[in-house]
């Protein structure tokens, strides 16, 4: 696929988004090597991290498409770039949890590593200045994050479906899918589709045997070995 970047429309913490000459209905997404945590307070660069996330996210999105999940991915065009369908991002971070860790344990006092009795879906408002506050259904509607409750229920059910598919996929690869964050967008026809990325930046993966952390917690907690961990996730996906 031959594509040409037109104009940079957005630069976030981990990605740049460009319009493209060949197709007005698509964007080019460039995965950066930057790492951030704690709402941007902790920062670093890790050469090759963007390319790893591009590869991992591409594999996961393609796998989800084969199971009937509609995503924005069109094609991966280079080590750290992909072409995606243009969509309007719904300003919700949809967090899905199977095992308690991170902010959940701090917020509710649930012991780290507790397997939850059922899948927990949480919505956070995607506004850095507010620190991505957690929202209930009424908040989502009051903020017009979605147009109606049916849309919110669709997002929740799709997130659970994605969790089931990914949970089984990673179990076969010897990884526990602890939790993850996904984002959805609306395409030009009004369809809600999976957008953004799914990578060790946005998921927590623990080795099934040792519980070793193979995700961005290595950076958040200063454990080192981030790239080796991401490479391990990619190798398991490809195995
Ligand atoms: N997450 C994310 N972006 C965010 C916040 C969370 O990708 O801005 C992911 C995070 O990697 C984890 C899940 O969502 O897989 C739940 O994160 P948590 O709420 O525990 O956040 P944290 O401990 O990072 O504050």
């Amino acid at each position: 696929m031959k594509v040409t970047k037109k104009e940079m429309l957005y630069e976030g913490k981990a990605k740049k988004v460009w319009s493209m000459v060949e197709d007005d209905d698509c964007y080019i997404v460039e995965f950066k090597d930057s790492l951030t945590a704690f709402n941007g307070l902790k920062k670093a660069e890790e050469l090759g991290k963007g390319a790893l996330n591009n590869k991992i996210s591409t594999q996961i999105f393609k796998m989800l498409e084969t199971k009937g999940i509609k995503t924005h991915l069109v094609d991966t065009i280079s080590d750290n770039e992909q072409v995606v369908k243009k969509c309007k991002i719904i300003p919700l971070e949809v967090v899905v949890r199977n095992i308690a860790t991170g902010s959940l344990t701090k917020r509710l006092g649930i012991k780290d590593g507790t397997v939850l009795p059922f899948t927990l879906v949480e919505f956070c408002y995607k506004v850095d200045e507010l620190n991505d506050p957690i929202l209930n259904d009424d908040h989502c509607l009051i903020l017009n994050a979605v147009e109606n409750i049916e849309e919110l229920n669709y997002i929740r059910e799709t997130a659970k479906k994605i969790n089931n598919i990914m949970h089984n996929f990673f179990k076969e690869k010897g990884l526990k899918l602890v939790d993850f964050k996904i984002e959805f967008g609306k395409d030009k026809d009004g369809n809600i589709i999976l957008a953004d990325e799914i990578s060790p930046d946005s998921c927590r993966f623990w080795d099934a045997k040792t519980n070793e952390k193979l995700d961005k917690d290595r950076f958040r907690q200063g454990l080192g070995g981030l790239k080796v961990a991401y490479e391990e996730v990619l190798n398991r996906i490809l195995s």
Side-chain angles (χ1 to χ4, degrees):
M1 193 177 189
K2 164 92 184 67
V3 293
T4 320
K5 284 174 175 164
K6 200 152 97 182
E7 182 194 354
M8 192 173 81
L9 305 172
Y10 164 86
E11 176 162 13
K13 286 177 279 201
K15 281 183 233 79
K16 289 180 188 167
V17 178
W18 306 74
S19 56
M20 59 186 261
V21 173
E22 291 78 4
D23 192 340
D24 256 351
D25 291 329
C26 288
Y27 290 141
I28 297 170
V29 174
E30 184 182 324
F31 284 69
K32 304 200 303 183
D33 287 337
S34 331
L35 273 162
T36 62
F38 312 118
N39 203 10
L41 285 178
K42 184 170 178 175
K43 288 187 200 145
E45 287 287 307
E46 180 81 45
L47 196 66
K49 193 262 319 185
L52 279 166
N53 277 358
N54 187 24
K55 290 196 181 78
I56 293 169
S57 195
T58 297
Q59 291 297 324
I60 297 175
F61 273 50
K62 283 188 176 165
M63 183 274 293
L64 290 170
E65 288 270 3
T66 68
K67 306 279 181 185
I69 303 293
K70 295 272 171 278
T71 81
H72 73 165
L73 181 66
V74 176
D75 204 1
T76 298
I77 51 166
S78 76
D79 265 5
N80 64 344
E81 293 165 309
Q82 37 181 255
V83 172
V84 303
K85 229 197 229 184
K86 198 185 261 188
C87 63
K88 192 163 177 288
I89 294 290
I90 293 169
L92 295 176
E93 300 206 329
V94 182
V95 174
V96 182
R97 301 177 184 273
N98 298 305
I99 299 175
T101 193
S103 70
L104 184 72
T105 57
K106 293 192 196 99
R107 196 165 7 104
L108 300 181
I110 304 175
K111 193 169 170 285
D112 196 280
T114 306
V115 177
L116 299 173
F118 54 87
T119 303
L120 174 60
V121 180
E122 297 172 330
F123 299 113
C124 298
Y125 196 25
K126 220 174 116 61
V127 181
D128 281 345
E129 302 80 70
L130 298 175
N131 247 326
D132 300 342
I134 190 158
L135 304 176
N136 70 14
D137 288 16
D138 287 346
H139 293 132
C140 294
L141 294 171
I142 285 169
L143 290 165
N144 292 316
V146 286
E147 282 177 28
N148 49 52
I149 191 69
E150 286 74 27
E151 280 191 5
L152 197 62
N153 286 334
Y154 176 78
I155 290 171
R156 190 177 1 242
E157 289 318 308
T158 308
K160 284 190 201 166
K161 215 184 271 179
I162 291 170
N163 181 54
N164 278 337
I165 298 167
M166 291 216 315
H167 180 271
N168 293 337
F169 177 79
F170 284 107
K171 196 173 171 191
E172 294 221 330
K173 311 287 181 186
L175 290 173
K176 289 183 195 169
L177 178 64
V178 175
D179 58 22
F180 60 95
K181 184 268 304 177
I182 45 179
E183 296 180 23
F184 292 89
K186 249 189 199 180
D187 69 11
K188 67 175 179 359
D189 304 316
N191 301 309
I192 294 178
I193 59 176
L194 181 66
D196 193 48
E197 68 176 287
I198 301 184
S199 73
D201 270 9
S202 60
C203 302
R204 287 191 173 102
F205 298 112
W206 293 354
D207 180 86
K209 287 201 189 98
T210 64
N211 277 344
E212 188 190 1
K213 296 178 199 296
L214 298 170
D215 55 61
K216 200 165 90 172
D217 271 351
R218 302 209 69 84
F219 171 67
R220 291 189 189 95
Q221 301 176 9
L223 302 172
L226 179 119
K227 241 180 92 176
V228 174
Y230 283 34
E231 275 161 2
E232 178 67 24
V233 171
L234 179 61
N235 288 337
R236 299 241 193 144
I237 288 173
L238 295 175
S239 67

